[in-house]
Amino acid sequence: MKKIAVFTSGGDSPGMNACVRAVVRTAIYKGLEVYGIYRGYEGMIEGDIKRMYSHSVSNIVQRGGTILKSARSEEFRTKEGRQKAYEKLQKHGIEGLVAIGGDGTFTGAKLFFEEYGIPTVGCPGTIDNDIYGTDYTIGFDTAVNTALEAIDKIRDTAAAHDRIFFIEVMGRDAGFIAVESGIGGGAEFVMVPETKTDLDSVVNALKNLRKTKTSSVIVVAEGDDEGSAETIMTKIKEKIADSSKEFKVTTLGHIQRGGSPTARDRVLASRCGMAAVEGLIAGEQNCMAGVTNQEVVFTPFGDCIGREKPIVRDHLRLIDILSI
Amino acid sequence: MKKIAVFTSGGDSPGMNACVRAVVRTAIYKGLEVYGIYRGYEGMIEGDIKRMYSHSVSNIVQRGGTILKSARSEEFRTKEGRQKAYEKLQKHGIEGLVAIGGDGTFTGAKLFFEEYGIPTVGCPGTIDNDIYGTDYTIGFDTAVNTALEAIDKIRDTAAAHDRIFFIEVMGRDAGFIAVESGIGGGAEFVMVPETKTDLDSVVNALKNLRKTKTSSVIVVAEGDDEGSAETIMTKIKEKIADSSKEFKVTTLGHIQRGGSPTARDRVLASRCGMAAVEGLIAGEQNCMAGVTNQEVVFTPFGDCIGREKPIVRDHLRLIDILSI
Amino acid sequence: MKKIAVFTSGGDSPGMNACVRAVVRTAIYKGLEVYGIYRGYEGMIEGDIKRMYSHSVSNIVQRGGTILKSARSEEFRTKEGRQKAYEKLQKHGIEGLVAIGGDGTFTGAKLFFEEYGIPTVGCPGTIDNDIYGTDYTIGFDTAVNTALEAIDKIRDTAAAHDRIFFIEVMGRDAGFIAVESGIGGGAEFVMVPETKTDLDSVVNALKNLRKTKTSSVIVVAEGDDEGSAETIMTKIKEKIADSSKEFKVTTLGHIQRGGSPTARDRVLASRCGMAAVEGLIAGEQNCMAGVTNQEVVFTPFGDCIGREKPIVRDHLRLIDILSI
Amino acid sequence: MKKIAVFTSGGDSPGMNACVRAVVRTAIYKGLEVYGIYRGYEGMIEGDIKRMYSHSVSNIVQRGGTILKSARSEEFRTKEGRQKAYEKLQKHGIEGLVAIGGDGTFTGAKLFFEEYGIPTVGCPGTIDNDIYGTDYTIGFDTAVNTALEAIDKIRDTAAAHDRIFFIEVMGRDAGFIAVESGIGGGAEFVMVPETKTDLDSVVNALKNLRKTKTSSVIVVAEGDDEGSAETIMTKIKEKIADSSKEFKVTTLGHIQRGGSPTARDRVLASRCGMAAVEGLIAGEQNCMAGVTNQEVVFTPFGDCIGREKPIVRDHLRLIDILSI
C-alpha cells in the first residue's frame, strides 16, 4: 500500500480534525502518500481530492468541525455515484481509505468495499456514541461536556426562580448524551429512547420532590418515545394540576456539535486515526478501529452498524438514587 | 440609617450574587445592619426577610443565579400588596433598600418610594443592557460571552457543512447582546429591534457573499421586527430561490442567563453594590447606581426606565464592514 | 450496617464533592444513616463528625474542592492517633467507612482496618491517576483538561513568537497527565517519570523539527528523572548551541487541582460513590471501588497501592508519530 | 492614500487577530490595498511583507496569538535598521501604517514617523492595560478573565485545605490585572506596583481574618515593590509566627497571554482596527486609536507612552471593603 485517502462524512463531531491529523501524520511517518477527500462521499464522486502533508494538519488538533468538510450525498446511494467515486480514486491511485463518521458513513463504506474492494478502515466520529465496537465515539465526550455546561448554567436560573426546566439534548436513537450529562448535571429525571418513559410516575415523583426541592432539571434526549422536550413539558404540565411553578424548555441544538474537543476526544481521535492507518498497512479492511477496554480493536462494519450498544445499567440507576 | 435590606427581582442575571455580596459587606463595613429579602417583592410582601452577615455571602462572588432568589409579583402591582410590603419592612425596622434588577424592578421601586418614602437605590441587574444611566448592566458581559461561545461552536459546524445558521439570542426590546456577540463572532448579519430589518437586502447580500464564502452566521435578537429566527429563516429561504445550502436555526435560550460571571460583571456588580450602600448613607434615594465613563453615577429611576439607551453607532457599522 | 461515614483525605481533586454526594444519597436511599468526617483522618481523631442529609449535598456536584475539607494527619500515623480515631467512630456508632483519596489515604485505611476491623471501602480521588484497580481516578480527567487548556493558550503565544515552551504539569510519580495533555495539546515532546528521558535525542529531534516548525511545546511531568521543567530547559539550552529561539518555562501548579469537574469525572465519582456504599452493604471491606472496562470492580487496598499502573504504550508512540 | 500595511509587535495579546482582521477588511471596504508585515519591525526591516485579502483574515477573530507573528527587534533601534525598514516600505509603495502593540511598539512608531513621515496610527494591543488614551487595551479583558478562572480554581483547593495562597499575575509596571482579577476573585489582598505594599499591615489583617476565615487568596502583580509572590510569601511566613496554615505560591505565567479573546476584546479590537484605517484616510498620524467613554479617540503617541494611567481609586477601596 502506497497511497491512502481520508475523509469525514455525516454530521461533524469535535475531534474529527484530531483524527484527520493522526491519519495524515501516521501515514507520512509510515512512508505512505496521503490524500484528503473533501465533503465526504460527495467530494469523492466529484474528485475533490488533494495531497496532504504534515503541515496541512498543523494547528488543527484543538479545532472543532472538520477541515475536510462533510456532506450528505444522495448520489453515493446510487450505483452510478459509487462507480464515479471509484473511478476518481483509481485516477489518484488510492489503495486504501480511512472513513471518519458514524452509522451512515460506515453503511456506505461497507457497500463500497463490497462492490469495489478498496480496503477501508473507519474511525467512529459522531457525538451520539451509538456505534458498537468502541467504548466511546469521537466527539461524544465534548458533546456531553457542552450539554453539561449548559445544564449547570440553567440550574442557576432554575434555582433562582424555583422553576422546572426541560432540557433537550441530542440523541435521536440513543440516550448516551442525556444520561451522562444528566448524571453529571444532577438532573432529577432523564428520558431516553432506550427505555419506556412513564410520565405518570414522573409526575408522582415530581410531586414528592417538591416537598424538599424548589427547582428541578429534566434532561430529555431528542428521540424519546414521549416526544420532544416541548411536547413532554406540555403533557406533564397538564397532568400536574399545580400551576405554582414555572415550566420552561430549552433545546440545546447545534452547539453540541461544535467546540474545541476535550482531552479525551483528542486522545481517542488520535489513537483511532493512528490505528486505522496501521490497520490498513497490516491488512485490515471493511472494519472500524475503536478503543475498547483501553485497547485498539477492529470491528467489522457489519457489526458496528448492526449491533446494539446498550447504556451502562448502573448509569440509569444512578439517576434514580442521586436525585433524592 | 441603621438597617438596610437588599433584594433581587425580575429575571436573574450573572453577577447578582457579587452585587449582593458587595451590598452586605459594605453595609457591615460601614456599621449598618443588613437584611436579605427573598424572592423580590413577593418575599417583601410575605416578610421573607433574614439578617445577613459577612459569612452569609462567602463563596458566592463566582456563582450565577441569585442566592436571594427572584420572582415576579402580581400582588406588588396592587396597592394592598405594597401596603403589606411596607408593613413587613417597618416590622424589621428597615430604613433603606437596595433593589437589584431591571426595568420592572425599578418601576416598582419608584412607585413604592413615591408612596412610602423608604430611601431606595437600585443596581442594574439584567443581561439585556437596556437601562439608561450605566454603560453596562450587571450580567450583560457574561451573557454576551455565553452567546459568543455558542456562536463560535456553531461556526465550526456551519463551516464543516457549508450552512447558513440563524442564531437567536436574548433581547426582546434591545439588540445589545446580538450586536456585541455578532461583532465578536464574526457574524455576516445582525438583526435587532432598534433598526428596521430589510430582508430583501439581506437576501441580496447573501447571494453576493456566497461567491466567496460557503457558510454564514446570522445573529437575530429575539425582539426583531421581522420575527423570531425561525420566522426570519423561513422568509429568507423562500426569497432565496437557491436551495443548495442548508439553512438551520438555533435558539440559545436560557443558557444566556446563567453561568459564572465574567470579571467585568463581577467588578461592575461589586462597584454598584458598594456605591448603592454608600449612596444610601449619603442620602441618595429613588435612583440607580451605575457606572458611566468609569465613574459611579446616580440616575433617577424615572430616567433609567424612561430614557432610551442607543446602540453605539460604530457597532452597527462594524458588522457591515467586517463581514465582507 | 446502619451507620456509615464518609471522608476525603490527601490532596483534593475535582469530583470529590460529586463522590461525597453519591455516598450520602445512596446511603439514605438504602436506609442508612450517614455522617461526614471533616478534614480526613485529622477530623476523625478530633471527632469532627456531622450527620448528613440529602440536602447537605445539594448543589455540590459541579463544585471543585471538597466540602468535607481535607488535611494530612501526622497523628494518624501513630498508634495513639488511630486509637483516638477509633474511639470517636465508636462514639458515633459508625459501622462502615468510605474513604475518598489516593495512595496515602488507602495506606492509612488499610492499616486502620487491620487494627480495628471497621469495614472500609475506598474511592479513587486523586488527579494523578496512579491508582491500580481503576481505569481512571476521580479528578484526572478535569486535571488533564485544565492542563490542555493551558497548553492551547501557550501554543498561541509560542506560535506568535516562534518560541520553545517547556510546560510543567503535575505528576510526581506518574506521567498520565503529561501524556494525555501532551497528545491532546499536540506537544512535540513529553517527558515522564516512567521512561528514561534522553536529552540528547530531544536536542537532535528539536534541531530537525526546526527545519519545518518555528515553535514547539514540550510537556514535562514534575517528577521527570531529568528534573523540573526549569532544569530541563536550562540543560537543553546549553546543549543546543543555537540561540535564535526564545526558550520559556511555565509551571501550571495548583490550578490543576481545582475547577468544576468534567462530565467524565462527575459520572465516575457518582458511580464509585454509589458502588462503595452498595459494596459496604454487601460485605466488601479493605478495598477500593473503581471502574475498569466500564464495570465496577473492587480491588484490595493492598493491590491499589502496591501494584504499578502502566501508561498505555500506544500513548507514548502517538507523541512520536504525531509530532512530525 | 492607496496602500497601507499592518503589523503586530511586542508581547502578543488576545484580540490582536481580531484587530488585524478589522484593519484588513476596513481597508478593502474603503478601496485600499492592504499588506501584512510579519514579525513586527524585524519583518519590516527584512521586507517580510505580503498582500492581504478579505479571506486572509477569515476565521481568525476567535483565535489568540497573532497570525502576523510578533518579535522584538534590536536592529530597529538603530538608525540603519530604520533606514532599511523605510526602504522596504517604499519598495512596496506603503503610504500608511497601522501598528498594533504597546509601549515599545509606539515608541518605535513615533521615532520612525518623526524620521520618515509615513503616517502611522496605533492600536493598543497589550494585556497590561497600561496605555494612556484608551479605557482598556486589547487583550486586557481576556487576561483578567484567564487570571480570574485560575483564582477560582485555586480557591477551591485553598478552601479544601485551609491554605493561604499567593497568586502572581502579570503586570510589571501596572496592577490592572491584579486589581480586577482580585476584586472578581474575592481576594483578601491585592499587591500592586502603583501603591506601597505594607507587609506588616497585611500580617495584622491576616491574623484578624483568621478568626473568621480559614483560607485566603492574595493576588500579587509581578512588579510589586516588595518583590515576587514567592519573595512576599517568604517574608510574610517569617513575620507571621503561626505555622498552622499552609502557605502556597502559584505563578500564572504565560497562560495569561493566550486563549480565545473575550467578547469585549474582540469588539474593542474590531473597533480600534476600523478606526485606525478610517483615521489614516482622514489624515490622522503619529497617534493611537483608542476607545474612551465609548467613543473612538485619537491620542498622540507621545501622550500614550508618556502619561500615566491611574488605577480606578474605587477599585482599591473595593478590595478592602469586600474582604471583610
Side-chain angles (χ1 to χ4, degrees):
Chain A
M1 191 166 296
K2 295 233 176 95
K3 292 187 186 180
I4 65 169
V6 57
F7 62 97
T8 54
S9 166
D12 63 312
S13 74
M16 279 188 161
N17 280 326
C19 192
V20 169
R21 171 177 176 266
V23 169
V24 168
R25 294 206 169 158
T26 305
I28 292 170
Y29 187 91
K30 299 287 184 181
L32 306 181
E33 270 183 32
V34 59
Y35 292 78
I37 302 171
Y38 287 76
R39 290 174 301 116
Y41 293 118
E42 197 70 18
M44 198 187 285
I45 290 169
E46 296 175 13
D48 195 355
I49 300 171
K50 291 195 189 114
R51 178 83 182 267
M52 299 194 84
Y53 304 92
S54 181
H55 65 79
S56 314
V57 292
S58 286
N59 207 24
I60 66 166
V61 73
Q62 81 282 16
R63 285 167 57 190
T66 159
I67 59 163
L68 293 181
K69 303 211 167 189
S70 187
R72 294 178 204 279
S73 172
E74 284 307 313
E75 199 176 351
F76 195 76
R77 291 167 190 254
T78 66
K79 193 134 190 66
E80 295 69 31
R82 294 193 294 277
Q83 175 66 27
K84 278 193 216 167
Y86 175 68
E87 285 162 9
K88 292 293 170 17
L89 296 179
Q90 285 291 94
K91 208 182 106 190
H92 283 86
I94 308 294
E95 298 160 292
L97 289 173
V98 178
I100 306 170
D103 249 34
T105 306
F106 296 164
T107 305
K110 181 170 180 287
L111 188 58
F112 192 60
F113 173 77
E114 286 163 2
E115 289 176 353
Y116 296 101
I118 298 181
T120 304
V121 175
C123 292
T126 166
I127 61 169
D128 290 334
N129 200 31
D130 57 347
I131 303 287
Y132 181 89
T134 192
D135 288 346
Y136 295 104
T137 56
I138 299 162
F140 171 67
D141 191 56
T142 307
V144 171
N145 279 290
T146 299
L148 183 57
E149 282 168 33
I151 294 171
D152 282 353
K153 287 179 182 171
I154 287 169
R155 208 172 244 303
D156 286 344
T157 191
H161 288 276
D162 293 346
R163 283 174 176 162
I164 296 174
F165 255 99
F166 293 76
I167 303 175
E168 184 175 305
V169 300
M170 283 194 169
R172 213 160 292 170
D173 307 304
F176 294 101
I177 294 177
V179 166
E180 299 217 3
S181 66
I183 294 171
E188 272 71 21
F189 305 96
V190 175
M191 301 175 180
V192 295
E194 286 90 340
T195 62
K196 179 92 198 75
T197 298
D198 177 356
L199 292 188
D200 287 321
S201 86
V202 170
V203 166
N204 286 333
L206 262 180
K207 285 179 182 164
N208 264 326
L209 271 179
R210 281 182 191 206
K211 292 167 195 161
T212 52
K213 292 192 183 187
T214 54
S215 65
S216 294
V217 166
I218 298 167
V219 177
V220 181
E222 63 180 327
D224 187 66
D225 51 298
E226 284 286 352
S228 70
E230 186 74 40
T231 307
I232 288 174
M233 183 200 70
T234 308
K235 290 180 184 174
I236 286 184
K237 224 166 146 179
E238 279 168 20
K239 283 171 185 282
I240 216 161
D242 177 359
S243 66
S244 66
K245 306 256 171 165
E246 284 188 77
F247 291 76
K248 296 276 177 184
V249 170
T250 290
T251 302
L252 296 186
H254 283 87
I255 56 168
Q256 296 166 84
R257 288 207 176 282
S260 184
T262 60
R264 203 58 67 90
D265 272 332
R266 297 191 204 180
V267 172
L268 174 64
S270 299
R271 203 167 171 200
C272 289
M274 177 174 80
V277 174
E278 295 188 334
L280 276 178
I281 293 171
E284 296 288 348
Q285 56 185 27
N286 202 19
C287 64
M288 181 192 80
V291 173
T292 302
N293 302 348
Q294 313 243 41
E295 296 296 331
V296 167
V297 176
F298 293 93
T299 305
F301 279 142
D303 286 353
C304 295
I305 57 188
R307 297 181 62 172
E308 208 198 343
K309 180 175 179 178
I311 290 181
V312 177
R313 299 315 294 181
D314 261 13
H315 287 179
L316 294 174
R317 291 175 53 224
L318 270 171
I319 292 162
D320 276 353
I321 293 178
L322 301 187
S323 62
I324 62 170
Chain B
M1 190 163 299
K2 295 235 175 94
K3 291 188 187 182
I4 66 168
V6 56
F7 62 97
T8 53
S9 166
D12 62 312
S13 74
M16 279 185 162
N17 280 326
C19 192
V20 170
R21 171 177 176 266
V23 169
V24 168
R25 295 208 167 157
T26 304
I28 292 170
Y29 187 92
K30 300 287 183 181
L32 306 182
E33 270 183 33
V34 59
Y35 291 78
I37 303 169
Y38 287 76
R39 291 175 300 116
Y41 294 117
E42 196 70 18
M44 198 186 287
I45 291 169
E46 298 174 12
D48 195 355
I49 299 172
K50 294 194 187 111
R51 177 83 182 267
M52 299 194 84
Y53 303 91
S54 182
H55 65 79
S56 315
V57 292
S58 287
N59 206 22
I60 66 166
V61 72
Q62 80 282 17
R63 285 167 58 190
T66 159
I67 61 163
L68 293 180
K69 300 210 172 192
S70 187
R72 294 178 204 280
S73 171
E74 284 307 314
E75 199 176 352
F76 195 76
R77 292 168 189 254
T78 68
K79 193 135 191 65
E80 295 70 31
R82 293 193 294 276
Q83 176 66 26
K84 278 193 216 166
Y86 175 69
E87 287 160 10
K88 294 292 171 17
L89 295 179
Q90 285 291 94
K91 209 182 103 189
H92 283 84
I94 308 293
E95 299 162 292
L97 289 172
V98 178
I100 306 170
D103 249 34
T105 307
F106 297 163
T107 304
K110 181 170 179 288
L111 188 57
F112 192 60
F113 173 78
E114 286 161 2
E115 289 176 352
Y116 297 99
I118 299 182
T120 305
V121 175
C123 293
T126 166
I127 61 169
D128 289 335
N129 200 31
D130 56 347
I131 303 287
Y132 181 88
T134 191
D135 287 346
Y136 296 104
T137 55
I138 299 163
F140 171 68
D141 191 56
T142 307
V144 170
N145 278 288
T146 300
L148 183 57
E149 280 169 34
I151 295 172
D152 282 352
K153 285 179 183 172
I154 287 169
R155 207 172 244 302
D156 285 346
T157 192
H161 288 277
D162 294 346
R163 283 173 176 161
I164 295 174
F165 255 99
F166 292 76
I167 303 175
E168 185 175 304
V169 300
M170 282 193 169
R172 214 159 292 169
D173 307 305
F176 294 101
I177 294 177
V179 165
E180 298 217 5
S181 66
I183 294 172
E188 273 71 19
F189 306 95
V190 174
M191 300 174 180
V192 295
E194 287 90 341
T195 62
K196 178 94 196 74
T197 297
D198 176 355
L199 293 188
D200 288 321
S201 87
V202 170
V203 166
N204 286 333
L206 262 180
K207 285 179 182 166
N208 264 326
L209 271 179
R210 278 185 192 202
K211 293 167 194 159
T212 53
K213 293 190 181 187
T214 52
S215 65
S216 293
V217 166
I218 298 167
V219 176
V220 180
E222 62 179 330
D224 188 67
D225 50 298
E226 284 285 352
S228 70
E230 186 75 37
T231 308
I232 289 175
M233 183 200 70
T234 309
K235 288 180 185 173
I236 285 185
K237 222 166 145 180
E238 278 168 20
K239 283 172 186 280
I240 214 161
D242 177 1
S243 66
S244 65
K245 306 253 170 165
E246 285 187 76
F247 292 76
K248 297 274 177 187
V249 169
T250 289
T251 302
L252 296 186
H254 283 86
I255 57 168
Q256 295 165 85
R257 288 208 177 282
S260 184
T262 60
R264 203 60 66 91
D265 273 332
R266 297 191 202 179
V267 172
L268 174 64
S270 300
R271 205 169 170 199
C272 290
M274 177 175 80
V277 175
E278 295 188 334
L280 276 177
I281 293 170
E284 297 287 348
Q285 55 185 26
N286 202 20
C287 65
M288 181 192 80
V291 174
T292 301
N293 302 348
Q294 314 243 42
E295 296 297 330
V296 168
V297 175
F298 294 93
T299 304
F301 279 143
D303 286 351
C304 295
I305 58 188
R307 297 182 61 171
E308 206 199 345
K309 181 174 177 180
I311 291 182
V312 177
R313 299 316 294 183
D314 261 13
H315 287 179
L316 295 174
R317 291 175 51 224
L318 270 171
I319 292 160
D320 275 353
I321 292 178
L322 300 187
S323 63
I324 61 170
Chain C
M1 190 164 298
K2 295 238 176 90
K3 291 188 186 182
I4 65 169
V6 57
F7 63 97
T8 53
S9 165
D12 63 312
S13 74
M16 279 187 161
N17 280 326
C19 192
V20 170
R21 171 178 176 266
V23 169
V24 168
R25 295 207 168 159
T26 305
I28 293 169
Y29 187 92
K30 299 287 183 182
L32 306 181
E33 270 183 31
V34 59
Y35 292 78
I37 303 169
Y38 286 76
R39 290 175 300 115
Y41 294 117
E42 197 70 18
M44 199 186 287
I45 290 169
E46 298 174 13
D48 194 354
I49 300 172
K50 292 193 189 115
R51 178 82 183 267
M52 298 193 86
Y53 303 91
S54 182
H55 65 79
S56 315
V57 292
S58 286
N59 205 21
I60 66 166
V61 71
Q62 80 282 17
R63 286 169 56 189
T66 159
I67 59 163
L68 293 181
K69 300 211 170 190
S70 187
R72 295 178 203 281
S73 171
E74 284 308 313
E75 199 176 353
F76 195 76
R77 291 168 189 255
T78 67
K79 193 134 190 63
E80 295 70 30
R82 292 193 296 276
Q83 176 65 27
K84 278 192 215 166
Y86 176 68
E87 287 161 9
K88 293 292 171 17
L89 296 179
Q90 285 292 94
K91 206 182 105 190
H92 282 85
I94 308 293
E95 298 161 293
L97 289 171
V98 178
I100 306 171
D103 249 35
T105 306
F106 297 162
T107 303
K110 182 170 179 287
L111 188 57
F112 192 60
F113 173 78
E114 286 162 2
E115 290 176 352
Y116 296 100
I118 298 182
T120 305
V121 176
C123 293
T126 165
I127 62 169
D128 289 335
N129 199 31
D130 56 348
I131 303 287
Y132 180 88
T134 191
D135 287 346
Y136 295 105
T137 56
I138 299 162
F140 171 67
D141 192 55
T142 308
V144 170
N145 279 289
T146 299
L148 182 57
E149 281 168 34
I151 294 172
D152 282 352
K153 285 179 183 171
I154 287 170
R155 206 171 246 303
D156 285 344
T157 191
H161 288 277
D162 293 347
R163 282 173 177 162
I164 295 174
F165 256 99
F166 293 76
I167 303 175
E168 185 175 304
V169 300
M170 282 193 167
R172 214 159 292 171
D173 307 305
F176 293 100
I177 294 177
V179 165
E180 299 217 5
S181 66
I183 294 171
E188 273 70 20
F189 305 96
V190 174
M191 300 174 180
V192 294
E194 287 91 340
T195 62
K196 178 93 196 73
T197 298
D198 176 356
L199 293 188
D200 287 323
S201 86
V202 170
V203 166
N204 285 333
L206 262 180
K207 285 179 182 166
N208 264 325
L209 271 180
R210 281 185 191 204
K211 292 167 194 161
T212 52
K213 292 190 184 189
T214 52
S215 65
S216 294
V217 166
I218 298 167
V219 177
V220 181
E222 62 180 328
D224 188 68
D225 50 298
E226 285 285 351
S228 71
E230 186 75 38
T231 307
I232 289 174
M233 184 201 69
T234 308
K235 289 181 185 173
I236 285 185
K237 223 166 144 180
E238 278 167 20
K239 282 171 186 282
I240 215 161
D242 178 1
S243 65
S244 66
K245 306 253 171 166
E246 285 188 76
F247 292 76
K248 297 274 176 185
V249 170
T250 289
T251 302
L252 297 186
H254 283 86
I255 57 169
Q256 296 165 85
R257 288 208 176 282
S260 183
T262 60
R264 203 60 68 91
D265 273 331
R266 297 191 204 179
V267 172
L268 174 64
S270 300
R271 204 169 172 199
C272 289
M274 176 175 80
V277 174
E278 295 188 334
L280 277 177
I281 293 171
E284 297 288 348
Q285 54 184 28
N286 202 21
C287 65
M288 180 193 80
V291 174
T292 301
N293 303 348
Q294 314 245 40
E295 296 297 330
V296 167
V297 176
F298 293 94
T299 304
F301 279 144
D303 287 351
C304 295
I305 57 188
R307 296 181 62 171
E308 206 200 345
K309 181 174 176 179
I311 291 181
V312 177
R313 300 314 295 183
D314 261 14
H315 286 179
L316 295 174
R317 289 176 53 225
L318 270 171
I319 292 161
D320 276 354
I321 293 177
L322 300 187
S323 63
I324 62 170
Chain D
M1 191 165 296
K2 296 234 176 92
K3 291 187 186 181
I4 65 168
V6 57
F7 63 96
T8 54
S9 165
D12 63 313
S13 75
M16 280 187 162
N17 280 326
C19 192
V20 169
R21 171 178 175 265
V23 169
V24 168
R25 294 206 169 159
T26 305
I28 292 169
Y29 188 91
K30 299 288 184 181
L32 306 181
E33 271 183 31
V34 58
Y35 293 78
I37 302 171
Y38 287 77
R39 290 174 300 116
Y41 293 118
E42 197 70 17
M44 199 187 287
I45 290 169
E46 297 175 13
D48 194 355
I49 299 171
K50 290 191 190 118
R51 178 83 183 266
M52 298 193 86
Y53 304 91
S54 182
H55 64 80
S56 314
V57 293
S58 287
N59 206 22
I60 66 166
V61 73
Q62 81 281 18
R63 286 167 58 190
T66 159
I67 60 163
L68 293 181
K69 302 209 168 192
S70 187
R72 294 178 204 280
S73 172
E74 284 307 314
E75 200 177 350
F76 195 77
R77 292 168 188 254
T78 67
K79 194 136 188 59
E80 295 71 29
R82 294 192 296 276
Q83 175 65 27
K84 277 193 216 167
Y86 176 67
E87 285 162 10
K88 293 293 169 20
L89 295 179
Q90 285 292 92
K91 208 182 107 190
H92 282 85
I94 308 295
E95 298 160 292
L97 289 172
V98 177
I100 306 170
D103 249 33
T105 307
F106 296 163
T107 304
K110 181 169 181 287
L111 188 57
F112 192 59
F113 173 78
E114 287 162 3
E115 290 176 352
Y116 296 101
I118 298 181
T120 304
V121 176
C123 293
T126 166
I127 61 169
D128 290 334
N129 200 30
D130 57 348
I131 303 287
Y132 181 88
T134 192
D135 287 346
Y136 295 104
T137 56
I138 299 163
F140 171 68
D141 191 56
T142 307
V144 171
N145 278 289
T146 299
L148 182 58
E149 281 169 34
I151 294 172
D152 282 352
K153 286 179 182 172
I154 287 169
R155 208 172 244 302
D156 285 344
T157 192
H161 289 276
D162 293 346
R163 283 174 177 160
I164 295 175
F165 256 98
F166 293 75
I167 303 175
E168 184 176 304
V169 301
M170 282 193 168
R172 214 160 291 171
D173 308 304
F176 293 100
I177 294 177
V179 166
E180 299 217 3
S181 65
I183 294 170
E188 272 70 19
F189 305 95
V190 175
M191 302 174 179
V192 295
E194 286 90 342
T195 63
K196 178 93 196 75
T197 298
D198 176 356
L199 293 188
D200 287 322
S201 86
V202 170
V203 166
N204 286 334
L206 261 180
K207 285 179 181 164
N208 265 326
L209 270 180
R210 280 185 193 204
K211 293 167 194 159
T212 52
K213 292 191 183 188
T214 53
S215 65
S216 294
V217 166
I218 298 167
V219 177
V220 181
E222 63 180 327
D224 187 68
D225 51 297
E226 284 286 352
S228 71
E230 186 75 39
T231 307
I232 288 174
M233 184 201 69
T234 309
K235 289 179 184 172
I236 286 185
K237 222 166 146 180
E238 278 168 20
K239 283 171 186 283
I240 215 160
D242 177 1
S243 66
S244 67
K245 304 255 171 165
E246 285 188 78
F247 291 77
K248 296 275 176 185
V249 169
T250 289
T251 302
L252 296 187
H254 283 86
I255 57 168
Q256 295 165 86
R257 288 206 176 284
S260 184
T262 60
R264 202 61 66 93
D265 273 332
R266 297 191 204 180
V267 172
L268 174 64
S270 299
R271 203 167 171 200
C272 290
M274 178 175 80
V277 174
E278 295 187 335
L280 276 178
I281 292 172
E284 296 289 347
Q285 55 185 30
N286 203 20
C287 65
M288 180 191 80
V291 174
T292 302
N293 302 349
Q294 313 244 43
E295 295 297 331
V296 168
V297 175
F298 294 94
T299 305
F301 280 142
D303 286 353
C304 295
I305 57 188
R307 296 181 62 171
E308 207 198 345
K309 181 175 178 177
I311 291 182
V312 177
R313 299 317 292 183
D314 261 13
H315 287 179
L316 295 175
R317 290 176 52 227
L318 270 172
I319 293 162
D320 274 354
I321 294 178
L322 300 187
S323 62
I324 62 168

